[in-house]
Amino acid sequence: MINALTVLYNVAEGKNDFDVVDSKLKEKSKTAVQKGIECILKTQVLQKGMPTIWADQYNEITLQPDKARAFEPISLATAESVVIVRFLMQQPVTPEIEKSIKSAVNWFKQNKIEGYSYNVSKVNGKAVRTLAEDKNSVIWARFYDINTNKPLFGDRDGSVKYDYNEVSEERRNGYSWFGDFADKLINKEFPKWVQKNNVMP
């Protein structure tokens, strides 16, 4: 959805070589972008009334969080949410957008995993992914439980695990379960956005 909205945003604003687009299409694109932003704000997952980040997938009719592939259970999704926040930070600041961005960044700060790194190496031509202790590293799980914020992991059989080591070897090595997804957002992009828009962090 963000990729589609980014194209529409560039059309609406005449950016990135979209300045040649017909003015009527620009107006339609502006309307579409606003509808998209309304949808984004509406679907930010609430926990006890407080906005967190966004789910991995949503039902297209109910707009409720939904599961995707067998190994992608209903969950909060970090990598996708970082991209959503970056898109919102491109938009004119409204109270709703400001609250959404700050809430998401705050959630990322509260749910980082310190003291571990996630490494990929090749063994006999195959990727092997390992979670290792590393006092200088900060990472996030790809998915978090939508109610408890505990890292969770899916498997081919549709089961949900809360221990990375319990995931089948095929899925453990065939999917990126951790990453430094929000590091740049928290430490560089958000402070720059705060300063540029003269808002309280």
Side-chain angles (χ1 to χ4, degrees):
M1 180 171 169
I2 289 297
N3 290 341
L5 278 173
T6 299
V7 172
L8 289 165
Y9 174 70
N10 285 331
V11 170
E13 300 299 321
K15 294 184 175 183
N16 296 317
D17 297 328
F18 281 97
D19 51 333
V20 296
V21 172
D22 174 79
S23 59
K24 287 182 181 176
L25 187 55
K26 282 185 178 181
E27 285 306 311
K28 285 184 177 180
S29 297
K30 274 186 183 175
T31 302
V33 169
Q34 287 312 305
K35 286 182 178 179
I37 291 170
E38 286 170 18
C39 183
I40 286 170
L41 297 175
K42 188 189 297 184
T43 54
Q44 191 169 8
V45 175
L46 301 179
Q47 291 176 347
K48 296 178 181 175
M50 288 298 296
T52 61
I53 57 173
W54 287 265
D56 179 41
Q57 191 100 342
Y58 289 84
N59 181 288
E60 73 275 18
I61 296 169
T62 66
L63 294 184
Q64 292 302 302
D66 209 345
K67 62 187 175 96
R69 292 175 288 186
F71 51 89
E72 295 172 332
I74 292 176
S75 58
L76 298 174
T78 49
E80 291 80 358
S81 293
V82 167
V83 178
I84 291 172
V85 174
R86 285 181 177 144
F87 178 79
L88 290 177
M89 289 196 303
Q90 293 180 330
Q91 308 307 315
V93 179
T94 65
E96 295 80 13
I97 287 176
E98 182 180 343
K99 181 180 179 182
S100 178
I101 291 169
K102 287 180 178 178
S103 298
V105 169
N106 189 48
W107 186 94
F108 279 118
K109 288 177 178 177
Q110 291 177 350
N111 291 282
K112 61 187 178 182
I113 301 169
E114 297 178 294
Y116 285 89
S117 62
Y118 187 57
N119 308 298
V120 183
S121 57
K122 289 280 186 180
V123 177
N124 297 327
K126 291 184 178 179
V128 175
R129 301 175 195 268
T130 53
L131 187 63
E133 288 189 24
D134 181 348
K135 64 179 182 181
N136 298 315
S137 181
V138 174
I139 56 174
W140 286 263
R142 179 73 184 271
F143 301 127
Y144 285 77
D145 186 287
I146 208 158
N147 297 308
T148 67
N149 294 329
K150 287 172 66 174
L152 62 76
F153 314 92
D155 224 326
R156 285 279 186 200
D157 60 1
S159 62
V160 177
K161 311 283 197 314
Y162 289 91
D163 184 340
Y164 174 66
N165 295 310
E166 291 179 3
V167 179
S168 67
E169 184 180 350
E170 183 272 332
R171 273 301 78 193
R172 199 165 61 242
N173 292 321
Y175 197 74
S176 292
W177 294 106
F178 298 92
D180 61 354
F181 308 118
D183 183 61
K184 191 177 176 185
L185 175 69
I186 288 173
N187 295 309
K188 293 183 179 178
E189 296 165 345
F190 178 67
K192 196 180 286 186
W193 175 82
V194 165
Q195 188 175 28
K196 178 185 175 185
N197 293 283
N198 197 27
V199 298
M200 292 291 290

